[in-house]
Coordinates of all heavy atoms in Angstrom, one line a residue:
M7 N 16.9 -17.7 -46.1 CA 18.3 -17.2 -46.0 C 19.0 -17.7 -47.3 O 19.7 -16.8 -48.0 CB 19.1 -17.9 -44.8 CG 20.6 -17.4 -44.8 SD 21.4 -17.7 -43.3 CE 22.0 -19.4 -43.6
L8 N 18.9 -18.9 -47.7 CA 19.7 -19.5 -48.9 C 19.0 -18.8 -50.1 O 19.8 -18.4 -51.0 CB 19.6 -20.9 -48.8 CG 20.6 -21.6 -49.8 CD1 22.0 -21.1 -49.5 CD2 20.4 -23.1 -49.6
S9 N 17.8 -18.7 -50.2 CA 17.1 -18.2 -51.3 C 17.5 -16.6 -51.5 O 17.8 -16.2 -52.7 CB 15.6 -18.3 -51.2 OG 15.2 -19.7 -51.4
A10 N 17.5 -16.0 -50.5 CA 17.8 -14.5 -50.5 C 19.3 -14.4 -50.9 O 19.5 -13.5 -51.8 CB 17.6 -13.9 -49.2
A11 N 20.2 -15.1 -50.4 CA 21.6 -15.2 -50.8 C 21.7 -15.4 -52.2 O 22.5 -14.7 -52.9 CB 22.4 -16.1 -49.9
A12 N 21.1 -16.4 -52.8 CA 21.1 -16.8 -54.2 C 20.6 -15.7 -55.0 O 21.3 -15.3 -56.1 CB 20.3 -18.0 -54.5
R13 N 19.6 -15.0 -54.7 CA 19.0 -13.9 -55.4 C 19.9 -12.8 -55.4 O 20.2 -12.2 -56.4 CB 17.7 -13.4 -54.8 CG 16.4 -13.9 -55.4 CD 15.2 -13.2 -55.0 NE 15.1 -13.0 -53.6 CZ 14.6 -13.8 -52.6 NH1 14.2 -15.0 -53.1 NH2 14.7 -13.5 -51.4
N14 N 20.7 -12.5 -54.2 CA 21.6 -11.4 -54.2 C 22.9 -11.7 -55.0 O 23.4 -10.7 -55.5 CB 22.0 -11.2 -52.8 CG 21.0 -10.6 -51.9 OD1 20.1 -9.8 -52.5 ND2 21.1 -10.8 -50.7
D15 N 23.1 -12.9 -55.3 CA 24.2 -13.3 -56.2 C 23.8 -13.5 -57.7 O 24.5 -14.0 -58.5 CB 24.9 -14.6 -55.7 CG 26.0 -14.3 -54.8 OD1 26.4 -13.1 -54.6 OD2 26.5 -15.3 -54.1
G16 N 22.5 -13.3 -57.9 CA 22.0 -13.3 -59.3 C 21.7 -14.9 -59.8 O 21.6 -15.1 -60.9
V17 N 21.6 -15.8 -58.8 CA 21.2 -17.2 -59.0 C 19.8 -17.4 -58.9 O 19.1 -16.9 -57.9 CB 22.0 -18.1 -58.1 CG1 21.6 -19.5 -58.3 CG2 23.4 -17.9 -58.1
T18 N 19.2 -18.0 -60.0 CA 17.8 -18.3 -60.0 C 17.6 -19.6 -59.4 O 18.2 -20.6 -59.7 CB 17.2 -18.3 -61.5 OG1 17.5 -17.1 -62.1 CG2 15.8 -18.7 -61.5
V19 N 16.6 -19.7 -58.4 CA 16.4 -20.9 -57.6 C 15.0 -21.5 -58.3 O 14.0 -20.7 -58.3 CB 16.2 -20.6 -56.2 CG1 15.8 -21.9 -55.5 CG2 17.4 -19.9 -55.6
S20 N 15.2 -22.7 -58.6 CA 14.0 -23.5 -59.2 C 12.9 -23.5 -58.2 O 13.2 -23.8 -56.9 CB 14.5 -24.8 -59.7 OG 13.3 -25.5 -60.1
Q21 N 11.7 -23.5 -58.6 CA 10.5 -23.6 -57.7 C 9.8 -25.0 -57.9 O 8.8 -25.2 -57.2 CB 9.5 -22.6 -58.0 CG 10.0 -21.1 -57.7 CD 10.5 -20.9 -56.3 OE1 9.8 -21.1 -55.5 NE2 11.7 -20.3 -56.3
S22 N 10.4 -25.9 -58.5 CA 10.0 -27.2 -58.8 C 11.1 -28.2 -58.8 O 12.3 -27.9 -59.0 CB 9.2 -27.3 -60.1 OG 10.0 -27.1 -61.2
L23 N 10.8 -29.5 -58.5 CA 11.7 -30.4 -58.6 C 12.1 -30.9 -60.0 O 11.4 -30.9 -60.9 CB 11.1 -31.7 -57.9 CG 10.8 -31.6 -56.4 CD1 10.1 -32.9 -55.8 CD2 12.0 -31.3 -55.6
D24 N 13.3 -31.4 -60.1 CA 13.8 -32.0 -61.3 C 13.1 -33.5 -61.5 O 12.7 -34.0 -60.5 CB 15.3 -31.9 -61.6 CG 16.1 -32.7 -60.5 OD1 15.4 -33.6 -59.9 OD2 17.2 -32.5 -60.3
A25 N 13.3 -34.0 -62.7 CA 12.7 -35.3 -62.9 C 13.1 -36.3 -61.9 O 12.5 -37.2 -61.4 CB 12.9 -35.7 -64.3
Q26 N 14.5 -36.4 -61.7 CA 15.2 -37.3 -60.8 C 14.5 -37.4 -59.5 O 14.2 -38.4 -58.8 CB 16.6 -37.1 -60.8 CG 17.4 -38.0 -59.8 CD 18.9 -37.7 -59.7 OE1 19.3 -36.7 -60.0 NE2 19.6 -38.5 -59.0
H27 N 14.4 -36.1 -58.9 CA 13.9 -36.0 -57.6 C 12.4 -36.3 -57.5 O 11.9 -36.9 -56.4 CB 14.3 -34.7 -57.0 CG 15.7 -34.6 -56.7 ND1 16.6 -33.9 -57.6 CD2 16.5 -34.9 -55.6 CE1 17.8 -34.0 -57.1 NE2 17.8 -34.6 -55.8
Q28 N 11.7 -35.9 -58.5 CA 10.2 -36.3 -58.6 C 10.0 -37.8 -58.6 O 9.1 -38.3 -58.0 CB 9.6 -35.6 -59.7 CG 8.0 -35.7 -59.7 CD 7.3 -35.1 -58.5 OE1 7.6 -33.9 -58.2 NE2 6.6 -35.9 -57.8
Q29 N 11.0 -38.4 -59.3 CA 10.8 -39.9 -59.4 C 11.0 -40.6 -58.1 O 10.4 -41.5 -57.7 CB 11.8 -40.5 -60.4 CG 11.4 -40.3 -61.9 CD 12.7 -40.9 -62.7 OE1 13.9 -40.9 -62.4 NE2 12.3 -41.5 -63.8
K30 N 11.9 -40.0 -57.2 CA 12.1 -40.5 -55.9 C 10.9 -40.4 -55.0 O 10.6 -41.3 -54.3 CB 13.4 -39.8 -55.2 CG 14.6 -40.4 -55.9 CD 15.8 -39.6 -55.3 CE 17.1 -40.0 -55.9 NZ 18.3 -39.5 -55.4
I31 N 10.2 -39.2 -55.0 CA 9.1 -39.0 -54.3 C 7.9 -39.9 -54.8 O 7.3 -40.5 -54.1 CB 8.6 -37.5 -54.5 CG1 9.6 -36.6 -53.7 CG2 7.2 -37.4 -54.0 CD1 9.3 -35.2 -53.8
D32 N 7.8 -40.0 -56.1 CA 6.7 -40.9 -56.6 C 7.1 -42.4 -56.3 O 6.1 -43.1 -55.9 CB 6.8 -40.8 -58.2 CG 6.2 -39.5 -58.7 OD1 5.6 -38.8 -57.9 OD2 6.4 -39.2 -59.8
A33 N 8.3 -42.8 -56.2 CA 8.7 -44.2 -55.8 C 8.2 -44.4 -54.2 O 7.8 -45.4 -54.0 CB 10.1 -44.4 -56.0
H34 N 8.4 -43.4 -53.5 CA 8.1 -43.5 -52.1 C 6.6 -43.6 -52.0 O 6.0 -44.4 -51.2 CB 8.5 -42.3 -51.3 CG 10.0 -42.5 -50.9 ND1 10.6 -43.6 -50.5 CD2 10.9 -41.4 -51.1 CE1 11.9 -43.3 -50.3 NE2 12.1 -42.1 -50.8
K35 N 5.9 -42.8 -52.8 CA 4.3 -42.8 -52.7 C 3.8 -44.2 -53.1 O 2.8 -44.6 -52.6 CB 3.7 -41.8 -53.6 CG 4.0 -40.4 -53.2 CD 3.3 -39.4 -54.2 CE 3.6 -38.0 -53.7 NZ 2.9 -37.0 -54.8
N36 N 4.5 -44.9 -54.0 CA 4.0 -46.2 -54.5 C 4.7 -47.4 -53.8 O 4.5 -48.5 -54.4 CB 4.2 -46.2 -56.1 CG 3.5 -45.2 -56.7 OD1 2.3 -44.8 -56.3 ND2 4.1 -44.5 -57.7
S37 N 5.5 -47.1 -52.8 CA 6.3 -48.3 -52.3 C 5.4 -49.0 -51.2 O 4.3 -48.5 -50.8 CB 7.6 -47.8 -51.6 OG 7.2 -47.0 -50.4
D38 N 6.0 -50.3 -51.0 CA 5.2 -51.0 -50.0 C 5.3 -50.4 -48.6 O 6.4 -50.0 -48.3 CB 5.9 -52.5 -50.0 CG 5.4 -53.4 -48.9 OD1 4.3 -53.2 -48.5 OD2 6.1 -54.3 -48.5
P39 N 4.1 -50.2 -48.0 CA 4.1 -49.6 -46.7 C 5.0 -50.2 -45.5 O 5.6 -49.6 -44.7 CB 2.7 -49.7 -46.2 CG 1.8 -49.7 -47.5 CD 2.8 -50.5 -48.3
A40 N 5.3 -51.4 -45.7 CA 6.1 -52.2 -44.9 C 7.6 -51.8 -44.9 O 8.4 -51.9 -44.0 CB 6.0 -53.8 -45.0
N41 N 7.9 -51.4 -46.1 CA 9.3 -51.0 -46.3 C 9.5 -49.5 -46.5 O 10.7 -49.0 -46.7 CB 9.8 -51.7 -47.6 CG 9.8 -53.2 -47.5 OD1 10.1 -53.8 -46.5 ND2 9.3 -53.8 -48.6
L42 N 8.4 -48.7 -46.3 CA 8.6 -47.3 -46.6 C 9.5 -46.6 -45.7 O 10.4 -45.8 -46.0 CB 7.3 -46.7 -46.5 CG 7.1 -45.1 -46.7 CD1 7.7 -44.8 -48.1 CD2 5.8 -44.6 -46.5
D43 N 9.5 -47.0 -44.3 CA 10.5 -46.4 -43.4 C 11.8 -46.5 -43.8 O 12.7 -45.5 -43.9 CB 10.2 -46.7 -41.9 CG 8.9 -46.2 -41.4 OD1 8.4 -45.3 -41.9 OD2 8.6 -46.7 -40.2
Q44 N 12.2 -47.6 -44.2 CA 13.7 -47.9 -44.4 C 14.1 -47.3 -45.9 O 15.1 -46.7 -45.9 CB 14.0 -49.5 -44.5 CG 15.5 -49.7 -44.6 CD 16.3 -49.1 -43.6 OE1 16.0 -49.0 -42.4 NE2 17.4 -48.6 -44.1
A45 N 13.2 -47.3 -46.8 CA 13.5 -46.8 -48.1 C 13.6 -45.2 -48.0 O 14.5 -44.6 -48.5 CB 12.3 -47.0 -49.0
Y46 N 12.7 -44.6 -47.2 CA 12.8 -43.1 -46.9 C 14.0 -42.8 -46.2 O 14.7 -41.8 -46.5 CB 11.5 -42.7 -46.1 CG 11.5 -41.2 -45.7 CD1 11.3 -40.3 -46.7 CD2 11.9 -40.8 -44.5 CE1 11.3 -38.9 -46.4 CE2 12.0 -39.4 -44.1 CZ 11.6 -38.5 -45.3 OH 11.7 -37.2 -44.8
L47 N 14.4 -43.5 -45.2 CA 15.6 -43.2 -44.4 C 16.8 -43.4 -45.3 O 17.8 -42.5 -45.3 CB 15.7 -44.2 -43.2 CG 16.7 -43.9 -42.2 CD1 16.6 -42.5 -41.7 CD2 16.7 -44.9 -41.0
S48 N 16.9 -44.3 -46.1 CA 18.0 -44.5 -47.1 C 18.1 -43.4 -48.0 O 19.3 -42.8 -48.1 CB 17.9 -45.8 -47.9 OG 18.9 -45.9 -48.8
T49 N 17.0 -42.9 -48.4 CA 17.0 -41.6 -49.3 C 17.5 -40.4 -48.6 O 18.2 -39.7 -49.1 CB 15.5 -41.4 -49.8 OG1 15.1 -42.6 -50.7 CG2 15.5 -40.2 -50.8
Q50 N 17.1 -40.4 -47.4 CA 17.5 -39.2 -46.6 C 19.0 -39.2 -46.2 O 19.7 -38.1 -46.3 CB 16.7 -39.1 -45.1 CG 15.2 -38.7 -45.4 CD 15.1 -37.3 -46.1 OE1 15.6 -36.5 -45.5 NE2 14.6 -37.2 -47.2
V51 N 19.5 -40.3 -46.0 CA 21.0 -40.5 -45.7 C 21.7 -39.9 -47.1 O 22.6 -39.0 -46.9 CB 21.5 -41.8 -45.3 CG1 23.0 -42.0 -45.3 CG2 20.9 -42.2 -44.0
T52 N 21.4 -40.4 -48.1 CA 22.0 -40.0 -49.4 C 21.8 -38.5 -49.6 O 22.8 -37.8 -50.0 CB 21.4 -40.8 -50.5 OG1 21.7 -42.2 -50.3 CG2 22.1 -40.5 -51.9
A53 N 20.6 -38.1 -49.4 CA 20.3 -36.6 -49.7 C 21.1 -35.7 -48.8 O 21.7 -34.8 -49.2 CB 18.8 -36.4 -49.6
H54 N 21.3 -36.1 -47.5 CA 22.0 -35.4 -46.6 C 23.6 -35.3 -46.9 O 24.2 -34.4 -46.7 CB 21.7 -35.7 -45.2 CG 20.5 -35.3 -44.5 ND1 19.3 -35.8 -44.8 CD2 20.2 -34.2 -43.7 CE1 18.3 -35.2 -44.2 NE2 18.9 -34.2 -43.4
Q55 N 24.0 -36.5 -47.3 CA 25.4 -36.6 -47.7 C 25.7 -35.7 -48.9 O 26.8 -35.0 -49.0 CB 25.8 -38.0 -48.0 CG 25.8 -38.9 -46.9 CD 26.0 -40.5 -47.3 OE1 25.5 -40.8 -48.4 NE2 26.6 -41.2 -46.4
Q56 N 24.8 -35.7 -49.9 CA 25.1 -35.0 -51.1 C 25.0 -33.5 -50.8 O 25.7 -32.7 -51.3 CB 24.0 -35.3 -52.1 CG 24.2 -36.7 -52.8 CD 23.1 -37.1 -53.7 OE1 21.9 -36.6 -53.6 NE2 23.3 -38.1 -54.5
A57 N 23.9 -33.1 -50.0 CA 23.8 -31.6 -49.6 C 25.1 -31.2 -48.9 O 25.6 -30.1 -49.2 CB 22.6 -31.5 -48.8
Y58 N 25.5 -32.0 -48.0 CA 26.7 -31.5 -47.2 C 27.9 -31.4 -48.1 O 28.7 -30.4 -47.9 CB 27.0 -32.5 -46.0 CG 28.2 -32.2 -45.2 CD1 28.0 -31.2 -44.3 CD2 29.3 -32.8 -45.2 CE1 29.1 -30.7 -43.4 CE2 30.4 -32.4 -44.5 CZ 30.3 -31.2 -43.6 OH 31.4 -30.9 -42.8
E59 N 28.2 -32.5 -49.0 CA 29.2 -32.4 -49.9 C 29.2 -31.2 -50.8 O 30.2 -30.5 -51.1 CB 29.3 -33.6 -50.6 CG 29.8 -34.9 -49.8 CD 29.6 -36.1 -50.5 OE1 29.2 -36.2 -51.7 OE2 29.9 -37.2 -49.8
L60 N 28.0 -30.9 -51.3 CA 27.8 -29.6 -52.1 C 28.1 -28.3 -51.4 O 28.8 -27.5 -51.9 CB 26.3 -29.6 -52.6 CG 25.9 -28.4 -53.4 CD1 26.6 -28.4 -54.9 CD2 24.4 -28.4 -53.6
F61 N 27.7 -28.2 -50.2 CA 28.0 -27.1 -49.4 C 29.4 -26.9 -49.1 O 30.0 -25.7 -49.1 CB 27.1 -27.0 -48.2 CG 25.7 -26.4 -48.5 CD1 24.8 -27.1 -49.2 CD2 25.3 -25.2 -48.0 CE1 23.5 -26.7 -49.5 CE2 24.1 -24.6 -48.3 CZ 23.1 -25.4 -49.0
V62 N 30.1 -28.0 -48.8 CA 31.5 -28.0 -48.3 C 32.3 -27.5 -49.6 O 33.1 -26.6 -49.6 CB 32.0 -29.3 -48.0 CG1 33.5 -29.5 -48.0 CG2 31.5 -29.7 -46.6
A63 N 31.9 -28.0 -50.8 CA 32.6 -27.7 -52.0 C 32.4 -26.1 -52.4 O 33.3 -25.5 -52.8 CB 32.2 -28.6 -53.2
Y64 N 31.2 -25.8 -52.2 CA 30.9 -24.3 -52.5 C 31.5 -23.4 -51.6 O 32.1 -22.3 -51.9 CB 29.3 -24.1 -52.6 CG 29.0 -22.8 -53.4 CD1 28.8 -22.9 -54.7 CD2 29.0 -21.7 -52.7 CE1 28.6 -21.7 -55.5 CE2 28.7 -20.4 -53.5 CZ 28.5 -20.6 -54.9 OH 28.2 -19.5 -55.6
A65 N 31.5 -23.8 -50.3 CA 32.2 -22.9 -49.3 C 33.6 -22.8 -49.5 O 34.3 -21.8 -49.2 CB 31.9 -23.5 -47.9
K66 N 34.4 -23.9 -50.1 CA 35.7 -23.9 -50.4 C 36.0 -23.2 -51.8 O 37.0 -22.3 -51.9 CB 36.3 -25.3 -50.5 CG 36.4 -26.0 -49.0 CD 37.1 -27.3 -49.2 CE 37.1 -28.0 -48.0 NZ 37.6 -29.4 -47.9
E67 N 35.2 -23.4 -52.8 CA 35.6 -23.0 -54.1 C 34.6 -22.1 -54.8 O 34.9 -21.5 -55.8 CB 35.5 -24.4 -55.0 CG 36.7 -25.3 -54.5 CD 36.5 -26.6 -55.2 OE1 35.8 -26.8 -56.1 OE2 37.1 -27.6 -54.6
G68 N 33.6 -21.8 -54.1 CA 32.5 -20.9 -54.7 C 33.1 -19.5 -54.8 O 34.0 -19.1 -54.0
P69 N 32.5 -18.6 -55.6 CA 32.9 -17.2 -55.6 C 32.5 -16.6 -54.4 O 31.5 -16.8 -53.8 CB 32.2 -16.7 -56.9 CG 31.1 -17.5 -57.1 CD 31.6 -18.9 -56.6
D70 N 33.3 -15.5 -53.9 CA 32.8 -14.8 -52.8 C 31.6 -14.1 -53.0 O 31.3 -13.5 -54.1 CB 34.0 -13.7 -52.5 CG 35.2 -14.4 -51.8 OD1 35.1 -15.6 -51.4 OD2 36.3 -13.8 -52.0
G71 N 30.7 -14.0 -51.9 CA 29.4 -13.4 -52.0 C 28.5 -13.9 -51.0 O 28.8 -14.8 -50.3
P72 N 27.3 -13.4 -51.1 CA 26.2 -13.8 -50.1 C 26.0 -15.3 -50.1 O 25.7 -16.0 -49.1 CB 25.0 -13.1 -50.6 CG 25.6 -11.9 -51.2 CD 26.8 -12.3 -52.0
L73 N 26.0 -16.0 -51.3 CA 25.7 -17.4 -51.4 C 26.8 -18.1 -50.7 O 26.5 -19.3 -50.0 CB 25.4 -17.9 -52.9 CG 24.9 -19.2 -53.0 CD1 23.5 -19.3 -52.3 CD2 24.7 -19.4 -54.6
K74 N 28.1 -17.8 -50.9 CA 29.2 -18.6 -50.3 C 29.1 -18.4 -48.9 O 29.3 -19.2 -48.1 CB 30.5 -18.1 -50.9 CG 31.7 -18.8 -50.2 CD 33.0 -18.4 -51.0 CE 34.2 -19.3 -50.5 NZ 35.4 -19.0 -51.3
N75 N 28.8 -17.1 -48.4 CA 28.6 -16.8 -46.9 C 27.6 -17.7 -46.3 O 27.7 -18.2 -45.2 CB 28.5 -15.4 -46.7 CG 29.6 -14.5 -47.2 OD1 30.7 -14.9 -47.2 ND2 29.3 -13.2 -47.3
A76 N 26.4 -17.8 -47.0 CA 25.3 -18.7 -46.6 C 25.8 -20.2 -46.4 O 25.6 -20.8 -45.4 CB 24.1 -18.6 -47.4
A77 N 26.5 -20.6 -47.4 CA 27.0 -22.0 -47.4 C 27.9 -22.2 -46.2 O 27.7 -23.2 -45.5 CB 27.6 -22.3 -48.8
V78 N 28.9 -21.4 -46.0 CA 29.8 -21.4 -44.9 C 29.0 -21.5 -43.5 O 29.2 -22.3 -42.6 CB 30.8 -20.3 -44.9 CG1 31.6 -20.3 -43.6 CG2 31.7 -20.4 -46.0
K79 N 28.0 -20.6 -43.4 CA 27.2 -20.4 -42.2 C 26.4 -21.7 -42.0 O 26.2 -22.1 -40.9 CB 26.4 -19.2 -42.3 CG 25.6 -18.9 -41.0 CD 24.8 -17.6 -41.1 CE 24.1 -17.3 -39.8 NZ 23.3 -16.1 -39.8
M80 N 25.9 -22.3 -43.0 CA 25.0 -23.5 -42.8 C 25.7 -24.8 -42.6 O 25.1 -25.8 -42.2 CB 24.1 -23.6 -44.1 CG 23.1 -22.4 -44.1 SD 22.1 -22.6 -45.7 CE 21.1 -24.0 -45.3
L81 N 27.0 -24.8 -42.8 CA 27.8 -26.2 -42.7 C 27.6 -26.8 -41.4 O 27.4 -28.0 -41.4 CB 29.2 -26.0 -43.1 CG 29.6 -26.0 -44.5 CD1 31.0 -25.6 -44.8 CD2 29.2 -27.4 -45.2
P82 N 27.8 -26.1 -40.3 CA 27.6 -26.8 -39.0 C 26.2 -27.5 -38.8 O 26.1 -28.7 -38.4 CB 27.8 -25.7 -37.9 CG 28.7 -24.7 -38.6 CD 28.1 -24.7 -40.1
D83 N 25.3 -26.9 -39.2 CA 23.9 -27.4 -39.1 C 23.7 -28.5 -40.0 O 23.1 -29.7 -39.7 CB 22.7 -26.3 -39.4 CG 22.6 -25.3 -38.2 OD1 23.1 -25.7 -37.1 OD2 22.1 -24.2 -38.5
L84 N 24.2 -28.4 -41.3 CA 24.1 -29.6 -42.2 C 24.9 -30.7 -41.8 O 24.4 -31.9 -41.9 CB 24.7 -29.2 -43.5 CG 23.7 -28.1 -44.3 CD1 24.4 -27.7 -45.6 CD2 22.5 -28.8 -44.8
H85 N 26.0 -30.5 -41.0 CA 26.8 -31.6 -40.5 C 26.1 -32.4 -39.4 O 26.0 -33.6 -39.3 CB 28.2 -31.2 -40.1 CG 29.1 -32.3 -39.8 ND1 29.3 -32.6 -38.4 CD2 29.8 -33.2 -40.4 CE1 30.0 -33.6 -38.4 NE2 30.4 -34.0 -39.6
M86 N 25.4 -31.5 -38.7 CA 24.7 -32.0 -37.5 C 23.5 -33.0 -38.0 O 23.2 -34.1 -37.5 CB 24.0 -31.0 -36.6 CG 23.2 -31.5 -35.5 SD 22.2 -30.2 -34.6 CE 21.2 -29.7 -36.0
H87 N 22.8 -32.4 -39.0 CA 21.6 -33.2 -39.6 C 22.2 -34.5 -40.3 O 21.6 -35.6 -40.0 CB 20.9 -32.3 -40.7 CG 20.0 -31.3 -40.1 ND1 18.6 -31.5 -40.1 CD2 20.3 -30.2 -39.5 CE1 18.1 -30.5 -39.6 NE2 19.0 -29.7 -39.2
L88 N 23.2 -34.4 -40.9 CA 23.9 -35.6 -41.5 C 24.2 -36.7 -40.5 O 23.8 -37.8 -40.6 CB 25.1 -35.3 -42.4 CG 25.9 -36.4 -42.9 CD1 25.1 -37.3 -43.8 CD2 27.2 -36.0 -43.7
T89 N 24.8 -36.2 -39.4 CA 25.3 -37.0 -38.4 C 24.1 -37.8 -37.7 O 23.9 -38.9 -37.4 CB 26.0 -36.3 -37.3 OG1 27.2 -35.8 -37.9 CG2 26.4 -37.2 -36.1
R90 N 23.0 -37.0 -37.5 CA 21.8 -37.5 -36.9 C 21.0 -38.5 -37.8 O 20.6 -39.4 -37.3 CB 20.9 -36.3 -36.5 CG 21.3 -35.5 -35.3 CD 20.3 -34.5 -34.8 NE 20.8 -33.9 -33.7 CZ 20.3 -32.8 -33.1 NH1 19.1 -32.4 -33.6 NH2 20.8 -32.3 -32.1
V91 N 20.9 -38.3 -39.1 CA 20.2 -39.2 -39.9 C 21.0 -40.5 -40.1 O 20.4 -41.5 -40.1 CB 19.8 -38.5 -41.3 CG1 21.0 -38.4 -42.1 CG2 18.7 -39.3 -41.9
Q92 N 22.4 -40.3 -40.1 CA 23.2 -41.5 -40.1 C 23.1 -42.4 -38.9 O 23.0 -43.5 -38.9 CB 24.7 -41.1 -40.4 CG 25.0 -40.6 -41.7 CD 26.4 -40.1 -41.9 OE1 26.9 -39.5 -40.9 NE2 26.9 -40.2 -43.0
G93 N 22.9 -41.6 -37.7 CA 22.7 -42.3 -36.5 C 21.4 -43.1 -36.4 O 21.3 -44.3 -36.0
I94 N 20.3 -42.4 -36.9 CA 19.1 -43.0 -37.0 C 19.1 -44.3 -37.9 O 18.4 -45.4 -37.6 CB 17.9 -42.1 -37.4 CG1 17.8 -41.0 -36.3 CG2 16.6 -42.9 -37.7 CD1 16.8 -39.9 -36.8
S95 N 19.8 -44.1 -39.0 CA 19.8 -45.2 -40.0 C 20.7 -46.5 -39.5 O 20.3 -47.6 -39.8 CB 20.6 -44.7 -41.2 OG 20.8 -45.7 -42.2
N96 N 21.6 -46.1 -38.6 CA 22.3 -47.3 -38.0 C 21.6 -48.0 -36.9 O 22.1 -49.0 -36.3 CB 23.7 -46.9 -37.6 CG 24.6 -46.4 -38.7 OD1 24.4 -47.0 -39.8 ND2 25.5 -45.4 -38.5
K97 N 20.5 -47.7 -36.5 CA 19.7 -48.4 -35.4 C 19.0 -49.7 -35.8 O 18.6 -49.8 -36.9 CB 18.7 -47.4 -34.7 CG 19.4 -46.4 -34.0 CD 18.5 -45.6 -33.2 CE 19.2 -44.5 -32.4 NZ 18.2 -43.6 -31.6

């Protein structure tokens, strides 16, 4: 849904990770197995917060079109995911 909306708005979606996100994956691959769960969970909380904030901003300020409509439509699900990952993190 999001890729199609981006295409319809003329936005090119990268098919690969940028260096910053690849470094995070590499760090998880090389992390101590005893600490992997907590490190992964911490990364997920941050990623979900950033995604939610990005979609909120685009839903409010982005240009009208399919991509903005997709952002608005996805906000409730993104908020639910953020709430759940925060809940898991607080256990």
Side-chain angles (χ1 to χ4, degrees):
M7 172 170 93
L8 195 55
S9 291
R13 261 192 316 276
N14 288 338
D15 270 352
V17 176
T18 302
V19 179
S20 176
Q21 298 300 310
S22 61
L23 295 175
D24 60 21
Q26 176 188 10
H27 290 96
Q28 186 60 55
Q29 281 179 327
K30 289 179 182 182
I31 289 176
D32 293 342
H34 286 309
K35 286 179 182 178
N36 298 319
S37 69
D38 176 21
N41 299 322
L42 180 59
D43 286 349
Q44 188 56 42
Y46 177 77
L47 190 54
S48 176
T49 301
Q50 287 301 298
V51 170
T52 300
H54 280 78
Q55 288 170 332
Q56 291 172 342
Y58 183 71
E59 290 168 6
L60 176 68
F61 276 70
V62 166
Y64 201 87
K66 288 181 181 177
E67 301 167 10
D70 289 339
L73 193 54
K74 183 174 184 173
N75 294 340
V78 169
K79 186 175 182 179
M80 293 177 70
L81 276 175
D83 288 338
L84 288 170
H85 187 261
M86 177 194 62
H87 281 255
L88 173 58
T89 301
R90 287 185 179 174
V91 76
Q92 287 172 328
I94 292 168
S95 176
N96 292 331
K97 288 184 179 181

